[in-house]
Amino acid sequence: MAGKKMKRLMLSFAVAAAVSTGASAQDPIKIGFISTFSGPSGQLGHELLDGFNLGLKSVGGKLAGRPVDVIQGDDQAKPDIGRQLADRMIERDGAQLITGINFSNVMLAIAKPVLDAGAFIVSVNAGPSQYAGKLCHPRFFVASFQTDTASETMGIYLQKQGVQRVYLMAPNYPAGRDMLTGFKRYFKGEIAGEVYTTFGQLDYAAEIAQLRAARPDAVFFFYPGGMGINFVKQYAQAGLAQQIPLYAPSFSLDQTVLPGIGDAAIGAFASTFWPEDFDNPASKKFRDDFEAAYGRIPSPNAANAYDTVRMLDAALKTIDGKIEDKPAFQKALGAVSFESIRGNFRFGANNMPIIDYYLAEVAKDEKGRTLLSKRDLIVSSHTDSYSQDCDMKAAGN
């Protein structure tokens, strides 16, 4: 008798669970999109959001057939505000996934509380070294790039070219330090100078004078947003553009800054996972659709955000959209397969992407617009340098 009661009880629980699962499948997937929408770097957030929204449109406005509720917040490039937004989105809005963050200092402020709350982070931009290595976490995925890798690959390129002396410049915050660390990991020539400027600084006259005096063979710099616009323009105004070539990761020479820089950037070089004239079919469609929707060339930032949505859709389809099943969603993301506009894409054991990197040059297209134009493949399937420090089995416990 007791056995029959237990069977009936177990059956009722099973039916309740099935009903609950069916109901949740009709509810929207809640995504918190925290990015920088104001100030000198505001264009970065708008570029990411535009790419993300176009990605949603490309999959019918839903992820694996489920509606999506995107909750947007402006972190103003301030870690404390990013943390407040993340807390509110998790606690009040019930966000299941946080994305959109472009600055690594904001990411480092929100990551632990978001993960501790049981939500996922899927980054469309920031890929701090800490979460690639010892702080890696089963629910922390970077769909864009690990921060060091773009500068690592430029270090590889300049090393192969036999460049002897390079001058380094970046803002003094986590991504800036990661960028220059990555470059030095592979470039074995002389570092003629290594300068970290204040985050958000817009006047570089003193630093450019110091650079001129050092007489390097090349300059490698990382300045996103308004910082990059001002640095490159002031560098050209100082008469150095024709004397000492500029090299950078794409985030300092892409469509988030090129319209503001103008011709001063022509002839500079960048390492990138997505040249803005990349010619695979998925990339061509993305660029055409983006230009039709927004009237401008997309940047690698927009490409990352677009790719992220299509990656999420592909992963969720393998589990019938059940993002509430966290172990299943985590496994699906780690093994995801989709047609990336960047070409090769897969996650490493630390949930960081393994992708190809190219050399691009700032040039003009057939309409006279400046863009990052593909030149050469630098390295195929580049893995970040922190994966060996990641113990995913121990992480998140």
Side-chain angles (χ1 to χ4, degrees):
M1 183 71 175
K4 289 182 179 179
K5 287 183 178 179
M6 181 60 71
K7 284 183 180 180
R8 281 197 293 270
L9 186 61
M10 290 174 65
L11 180 61
S12 67
F13 281 145
V15 170
V19 170
S20 174
T21 302
S24 68
Q26 305 305 315
D27 294 336
I29 293 173
K30 295 187 177 182
I31 296 176
F33 196 101
I34 300 170
S35 204
T36 306
F37 296 106
S38 58
S41 297
Q43 176 60 25
L44 299 175
H46 290 288
E47 190 78 5
L48 290 166
L49 185 61
D50 285 347
F52 195 85
N53 285 336
L54 187 65
L56 278 175
K57 183 178 179 181
S58 77
V59 294
K62 297 182 177 182
L63 292 176
R66 288 183 63 173
V68 180
D69 183 6
V70 179
I71 308 137
Q72 182 182 334
D74 179 9
D75 61 34
Q76 303 172 42
K78 297 176 181 178
D80 57 334
I81 293 178
R83 170 67 189 272
Q84 293 168 19
L85 288 169
D87 288 344
R88 187 176 71 202
M89 289 176 181
I90 296 292
E91 295 168 10
R92 187 192 70 182
D93 302 314
Q96 297 153 300
L97 185 153
I98 298 292
T99 190
I101 297 160
N102 49 287
F103 287 118
S104 58
N105 54 346
V106 177
M107 178 64 84
L108 291 172
I110 74 146
K112 188 177 188 303
V114 168
L115 296 170
D116 286 350
F120 282 80
I121 291 176
V122 180
S123 179
V124 294
N125 195 59
S129 58
Q130 293 87 338
Y131 280 89
K134 293 180 180 179
L135 293 182
C136 68
H137 193 284
R139 294 193 307 280
F140 187 102
F141 287 82
V142 173
S144 51
F145 55 92
Q146 193 282 309
T147 304
D148 296 37
T149 53
S151 54
E152 285 178 348
T153 53
M154 187 57 88
I156 290 170
Y157 175 76
L158 292 181
Q159 182 69 24
K160 288 180 179 178
Q161 297 303 304
V163 175
Q164 299 297 310
R165 302 178 71 247
V166 179
Y167 198 93
L168 308 181
M169 293 184 67
N172 189 17
Y173 81 117
R177 295 189 291 273
D178 280 353
M179 286 285 178
L180 299 195
T181 296
F183 182 87
K184 292 185 293 181
R185 189 173 288 124
Y186 286 89
F187 179 74
K188 302 306 179 185
E190 180 185 348
I191 302 301
E194 184 172 348
V195 176
Y196 293 93
T197 52
T198 303
F199 181 83
Q201 180 175 323
L202 298 176
D203 183 358
Y204 299 95
E207 289 81 7
I208 290 172
Q210 293 171 4
L211 186 163
R212 185 196 297 273
R215 299 172 64 92
D217 298 324
V219 173
F220 176 79
F221 74 98
F222 166 65
Y223 285 118
M227 293 180 284
I229 293 173
N230 281 29
F231 173 74
V232 177
K233 290 176 74 172
Q234 290 167 25
Y235 189 85
Q237 289 163 3
L240 292 178
Q242 303 305 317
Q243 300 177 29
I244 307 170
L246 283 176
Y247 297 86
S250 59
F251 333 109
S252 300
L253 289 169
D254 64 18
Q255 293 303 312
T256 62
V257 295
L258 284 177
I261 297 173
D263 289 354
I266 291 176
F269 293 92
S271 52
T272 184
F273 42 80
W274 187 76
E276 292 166 349
D277 61 357
F278 203 39
D279 57 1
N280 73 34
S283 176
K284 285 182 176 180
K285 184 178 188 314
F286 160 66
R287 178 173 160 166
D288 289 345
D289 290 348
F290 191 96
E291 285 200 62
Y294 304 113
R296 66 181 190 275
I297 302 170
S299 73
N301 300 64
N304 278 336
Y306 177 90
D307 240 12
T308 298
V309 174
R310 296 174 67 83
M311 181 199 73
L312 289 171
D313 183 60
L316 284 165
K317 280 179 177 176
T318 67
I319 57 170
D320 298 323
K322 298 174 184 174
I323 194 172
E324 294 81 6
D325 187 341
K326 295 176 184 179
F329 183 45
Q330 171 196 326
K331 184 177 179 180
L333 274 177
V336 69
S337 177
F338 71 109
E339 186 182 14
S340 171
I341 65 173
R342 293 170 281 177
N344 294 328
F345 180 99
R346 62 186 172 90
F347 280 117
N350 58 349
N351 295 344
M352 296 283 157
I354 298 174
I355 50 180
D356 300 341
Y357 276 90
Y358 300 86
L359 180 73
E361 181 178 2
V362 180
K364 290 192 175 184
D365 68 4
E366 65 281 357
K367 297 180 181 179
R369 301 173 299 181
T370 50
L371 82 168
L372 284 174
S373 184
K374 178 185 170 186
R375 293 296 179 258
D376 301 304
L377 174 69
I378 298 175
V379 60
S380 180
S381 299
H382 186 63
T383 303
D384 71 87
S385 299
Y386 299 96
S387 58
Q388 61 189 3
D389 298 324
C390 169
D391 183 359
M392 195 63 78
K393 290 183 180 179
N397 294 330

